[in-house]
Amino acid sequence: MRQKVPKRAPRSLPDTAFDELFAAMRYDRDRALLAFYVSSGARPSELLGLTNRLVDPENQTIGVIRKGTKALQHVPASPDAFVWLRLYRRDLPALCLRRSAPVFWTLRRRLRPLEYDAARAVLLRAQEALGTDWSLHDLRHTALMRMSQDLNLVEVRDIAGHGSLRSTEPYLQPRQEEVLAHVREHFERLRDPQRRHDAQPHLPSSVLGYDAEDMLELFGGVR
């Protein structure tokens, strides 16, 4: 007889939290990494495995090797992500720009491909002053949550690389912060009669099939 607990939205960053995190990034590499995570929806390991030959600025896509199937899939990313990537690449040696070379490298000499633990450490250091604990996977959730507001479920599933729609459905759930904000607005409207009145839909008389001048003549009112 135990009631099922409703599924909540995956943990993701509100826009203000992401802006604060992005502002805390000190290097163009980290800004590019963050921008790709939050726009492509790629898994942390998939993005860190990106090579130069799989970056297509002209079509605004990157090619990622899917974690489960090991299949290559091209996914879109934001124009901002490619801008930050270009800025990051300015100071890289020619060895790091070879087509077969990884895109993201450590900043300290001797240069090595950036791995998961190092990328995670970058994120944690940036958050020390913010007092937050967002993870790399939260950035993927953020991207998919944003996409679900404009794309249909099948499109989000395809970009996410999910095997079934059931794995994608949780991204249709609103964030708890959004629900609480809407409820507060609801309470404010109840307290303010004018706002409650303004929130009601006003259909013009022409929509109802009556001439506006006739309605004023019949019922009176302010022109």
Side-chain angles (χ1 to χ4, degrees):
M1 301 298 291
R2 182 176 298 174
Q3 295 289 329
K4 290 185 177 180
V5 177
K7 291 185 178 180
R8 292 188 174 179
R11 189 172 186 261
S12 60
L13 286 74
D15 291 344
T16 53
F18 175 76
D19 291 343
E20 291 174 351
L21 180 59
F22 192 86
M25 295 293 116
R26 298 174 56 191
Y27 303 102
D28 289 338
R29 180 205 63 182
D30 303 335
R31 297 183 185 103
L33 193 65
L34 213 62
F36 273 113
Y37 271 131
V38 85
S39 64
S40 71
R43 297 178 177 89
S45 59
E46 293 172 347
L47 188 58
L48 292 174
L50 182 66
T51 58
N52 290 317
R53 71 179 181 86
L54 296 177
V55 177
D56 186 357
E58 183 177 353
N59 293 311
Q60 304 282 279
T61 64
I62 57 174
V64 297
I65 306 299
R66 286 305 182 188
K67 182 178 178 181
T69 63
K70 304 302 180 183
L72 172 64
Q73 181 179 355
H74 295 273
V75 296
S78 69
D80 287 348
F82 288 95
V83 171
W84 287 113
L85 180 62
R86 179 65 181 270
L87 294 173
Y88 161 54
R89 281 175 159 177
R90 289 181 306 178
D91 301 324
L92 286 178
L95 179 67
C96 298
L97 299 177
R98 293 178 178 176
R99 285 178 55 80
S100 60
V103 170
F104 296 103
W105 296 79
T106 58
L107 297 177
R108 295 179 180 178
R109 294 336 189 210
R110 166 177 68 91
L111 293 179
R112 299 182 304 278
L114 188 68
E115 297 181 348
Y116 179 87
D117 288 342
R120 179 174 177 270
V122 168
L123 200 63
L124 292 177
R125 283 195 297 269
Q127 296 184 86
E128 288 178 355
L130 300 176
T132 55
D133 62 344
W134 303 109
S135 70
L136 292 174
H137 215 74
D138 292 338
L139 297 173
R140 167 175 161 85
H141 294 325
T142 303
L144 299 180
M145 289 286 290
R146 289 180 174 182
M147 291 177 190
S148 67
Q149 297 177 9
D150 297 311
L151 308 181
N152 64 50
L153 191 62
V154 175
E155 291 171 332
V156 178
R157 181 199 63 178
D158 182 66
I159 294 174
H162 289 153
S164 68
L165 288 175
R166 183 171 296 179
S167 300
T168 315
E169 286 176 351
Y171 294 99
L172 298 178
Q173 301 293 329
R175 294 189 185 96
Q176 187 177 15
E177 297 85 355
E178 295 173 343
V179 174
L180 294 176
H182 291 162
V183 172
R184 293 189 189 101
E185 293 177 1
H186 164 71
F187 290 148
E188 287 297 322
R189 283 195 295 271
L190 291 179
R191 293 178 57 187
D192 188 342
Q194 183 60 40
R195 290 185 61 183
R196 187 166 67 248
H197 174 73
D198 293 341
Q200 300 299 319
H202 296 281
L203 293 177
S205 56
S206 58
V207 174
L208 301 175
Y210 298 98
D211 183 79
E213 294 295 331
D214 292 341
M215 295 296 289
L216 286 172
E217 183 70 25
L218 182 61
F219 296 105
V222 180
R223 294 180 183 273

